[in-house]
Amino acid sequence: MKIAVIGTGYVGLVTGVALSEIGNRVTCIDVDPSKVEKLSNGIPTIYEPGLEELIRKNLESGNLSFTAKHQEGLSDAEVVYIAVGTPQRPDGAANLDYVEQAARDIAANITRNVIVVIKSTVPVGTNFHIKDLINKNTKNGIQIKIASNPEFLREGSAVKDTFHGDRIVIGTEDEQTADILAELNQPFGAPIVTTDISSAEMIKYSSNAFLATKISFINEIANLCEAMGANVEEVAKGMGLDHRIGPDFLKAGIGYGGSCFPKDTNALVQLAGNANHDFNLLKSVIEVNNHQQVLLLNKIESRFGSIQGKRVAVLGLAFKPNTDDLRESPAFVMIPKLCAMGADVIAYDPIAVSNAKRQLGTDIDYTEDLHEALNNADFAIIITDWPSVKNADLAIFNTLMKEPVVFDGRNCYALDKVKQATLEYYSIGRPDQAPELIG
Ligand SMILES: NC(=O)C1=CN([C@@H]2O[C@H](COP(=O)(O)OP(=O)(O)OC[C@H]3O[C@@H](n4cnc5c(N)ncnc54)[C@H](O)[C@@H]3O)[C@@H](O)[C@H]2O)C=CC1
Ligand SMILES: O=C(O)[C@H]1O[C@H](OP(=O)(O)OP(=O)(O)OC[C@H]2O[C@@H](n3ccc(=O)[nH]c3=O)[C@H](O)[C@@H]2O)[C@H](O)[C@@H](O)[C@@H]1O
């Protein structure tokens, strides 16, 4: 099929590349000409394992192209995907400005009755609104069909998730559109759930809200474990073996970040409020997460009192490993607070440093070298469980730092290893290895 994808961010780029890989002719459109130029030359604009090879392969075969001109991609498309951002407004609601602009771009440039598929995460009712917006603005009486096809990929494993997903959700108003999209998606091999449009929109928010709930739940249990002398890792293992609970998303830590859980949980609370429903459970999930992100600061304050002038190695800037995405990363909550407390911060990340410099400025030091970060530091804080940090020889904390004091927001190390390495170690929901406990 001839497909146009509007937006080449994490979702649009991976979607467009994957649709070209399964044999469609795909034009990816982005308003940012610098992204288009890079992508047209086979250079990925995001860090995503496996993506570069697929971009290059499909550019070469002619199945994939990139453009900054909407008309080029839209004039002969049969199916058009909208995959632009839906960031959070100050009141928590989803900002639909980009989706509405994409709708106007579609209306101005299509030349036939296309199917418009909304992949962006949008509040219930948005698909109908966008359909009306397009149909009111098309030329020559063209009328589109609309479909909701929410995306469930995770950053850092986006390609794998696309080709080995758990399900594909397709919400439509009619069977014929559902059949066309089911056939288009069939090569991805995942079970296809066809449903009405509002339910499809709701499945996306409910899935993210549920996963965020699991994380906040285990973080609350972790905090209880600390108070009661239990170990949250053992508790999560024991819980997760029950197939009704499952082992995933039970990793306690510094709280969830990223471009979606924070904004989508807030958007669902707003959406519920609009329907006069007070979503208390989800409000608590958000509150627990906000608290979790600064929990380590309390531990740091009780250990040191003042940290004025202390050299702090912040290990990890990305909101999770294998991505250079910094959106809503706990690092961005912690670093300004550490600076306000007078600490001298050096931040380590293997791939996100240049992105971080643009956002955090140059008041702190940055490095892509773990050893340089630890060198002469008074204490270290682990924010992201990068393999380089997780698999590090624990001796480096002793050999490089002034004192081997580590606050671990990701529970990276087994407690017996920590003991062997004689670290002063504070983690989440586990019996801390304070000095008196160290052999
Ligand atoms: N990032 C993720 O892992 C996931 C994101 N989502 C959802 O997918 C949507 C997109 O998210 P991301 O890919 O992260 O966004 P992003 O912000 O990385 O990318 C959006 C892209 O759209 C482009 N754009 C904006 N308006 C445009 C227009 N009118 N025409 C052409 N290009 C335009 C921007 O220049 C940008 O490159 C959001 O609704 C998000 O909630 C869903 C699942 C996973
Ligand atoms: O809508 C979206 O954007 C996407 O949001 C998440 O994907 P993503 O944000 O890429 O990353 P996750 O792997 O889900 O992690 C999110 C955050 O939760 C944290 N997390 C995750 C799992 C866990 O057990 N504990 C935990 O603290 C991670 O460190 C990270 O900060 C969902 O997993 C995807 O299904 C969804 O498509």
Side-chain angles (χ1 to χ4, degrees), residues 152-155 204 208 249 251 257 260 319-320 410:
F152 301 101
L153 64 78
R154 291 162 299 172
E155 290 180 21
K204 175 62 195 175
N208 274 2
F249 281 73
K251 181 107 182 73
C260 290
F319 79 96
K320 64 172 193 176
R410 296 294 181 182

Side-chain angles (χ1 to χ4, degrees), residues 322-367:
N322 293 323
T323 178
D324 58 355
D325 196 342
L326 299 165
R327 290 179 281 185
E328 302 288 331
S329 169
F332 281 61
V333 178
M334 288 290 267
I335 290 175
K337 288 199 190 306
L338 290 166
C339 289
M341 289 158 85
D344 168 22
V345 174
I346 177 159
Y348 157 79
D349 197 286
I351 59 169
V353 162
S354 54
N355 273 356
K357 272 187 191 161
R358 280 196 291 273
Q359 292 179 45
L360 273 176
T362 49
D363 286 350
I364 62 166
D365 295 327
Y366 298 91
T367 179

